[in-house]
Amino acid sequence: MGVFDTLGISASGLLAHRKWLDAVSDNISNINTTSRTNEAAFQERFINAQAVDYGSGSGGVRVAGTEFGSAEGRLVFEPDNPLADKDGYVKYPDIDLGEQMTQLLMAQRGYQANLAVVERATSTYQAALQLGRR
Amino acid sequence: MTFPLGGIVPVGVGGVAGIDSTSIVPASQAASSTSGSDFASILASTVDGLAATQSNADSLAAQAATGDLKDVHDYMIASNEASLATEMVVTIKNKAVDAFNEIMRMPV
């Protein structure tokens, strides 16, 4: 508990969205990572966000963990690929770039929204402190 | 990037402790005013909190300088909070000194 709790709560939101951005960038950077058909494909990363209950003390959000998508991937016919099996297939991760770009936008806007709260809370606190000046 | 405000702790709040409100008010009202802690201890704990906030911002500033900082916003929010807390304590201190001066100017 503190006087400037809003800043800490917004910081937890910023951290959660930063981790979301990390997950999206991981997904996008590995979107063309191929693997052999008998190996697991790159698994899509999901961030599991969880609310920190307001009554319990601090409030805000935290990242409870990372979830992984399917390791099955999708089979692509690429006989020239050195990783291809005898039928000429390789595994690509089952990640949709359009969906990742949407998530990127959402994570970015969420981060910016939390920053806007920090800015607004700061000017609000300063307005309150103006009361003490003459 | 470090804060030049590190050593604000020895403000000398202990010297004010003699002026606790109970010694001034009449005995009939003393019971109601002793329930809360006196202003000096409140100010002292606030200044302690300010020092903690500033040392937090300081250590984050050191991390930013050495490249150990994990999150940019951590340091920005900590320095923001430290400057807000400083403003608040200074405002409260000014108010208290004003009140004290007002009392000292009272004609007896």
Side-chain angles (χ1 to χ4, degrees), chain A residues 29-47:
Chain A
S29 63
N30 277 298
I31 200 160
N32 285 316
T33 302
T34 53
S35 49
R36 297 178 202 277
T37 46
N38 57 356
E39 291 170 348
F42 175 83
Q43 287 168 279
E44 186 176 356
R45 270 83 165 120
F46 297 95
I47 291 300

Side-chain angles (χ1 to χ4, degrees), chain B residues 28-51:
Chain B
S28 57
Q29 292 170 17
S32 61
S33 56
T34 44
S35 55
S37 49
D38 58 350
F39 178 75
S41 60
I42 293 175
L43 187 59
S45 69
T46 314
V47 171
D48 280 351
L50 172 65

Side-chain angles (χ1 to χ4, degrees), chain A residues 3-4 7-8 10-11 14-15 18 111 118 122 125-126 129 131-134, chain B residues 70-74 77 80-81 83-85 87-89 91 94-95 98 102:
Chain A
V3 189
F4 306 120
L7 297 179
S10 298
L14 285 168
L15 182 62
R18 202 267 295 154
Y111 194 93
V118 171
T122 305
Y125 288 137
Q126 266 163 353
L129 286 174
L131 272 180
R133 308 216 177 95
R134 49 170 84 188
Chain B
K70 276 197 240 121
D71 280 305
V72 187
H73 62 254
D74 268 352
I77 286 178
N80 205 355
E81 195 172 342
S83 89
L84 268 178
E87 260 180 71
M88 184 180 77
V89 171
T91 310
N94 286 343
K95 272 290 175 196
D98 280 355
E102 204 68 45

Side-chain angles (χ1 to χ4, degrees), chain A residues 97-119:
Chain A
L97 184 58
E99 192 204 319
Q100 293 301 316
M101 293 307 286
T102 317
Q103 289 201 28
L104 183 63
L105 273 179
M106 285 159 69
Q108 183 201 4
R109 296 301 183 206
Y111 194 93
Q112 287 172 337
N114 277 291
L115 273 181
V117 174
V118 171
E119 263 174 49

Side-chain angles (χ1 to χ4, degrees), chain B residues 8-17:
Chain B
I8 251 181
V9 201
V11 150
V13 190
V16 196

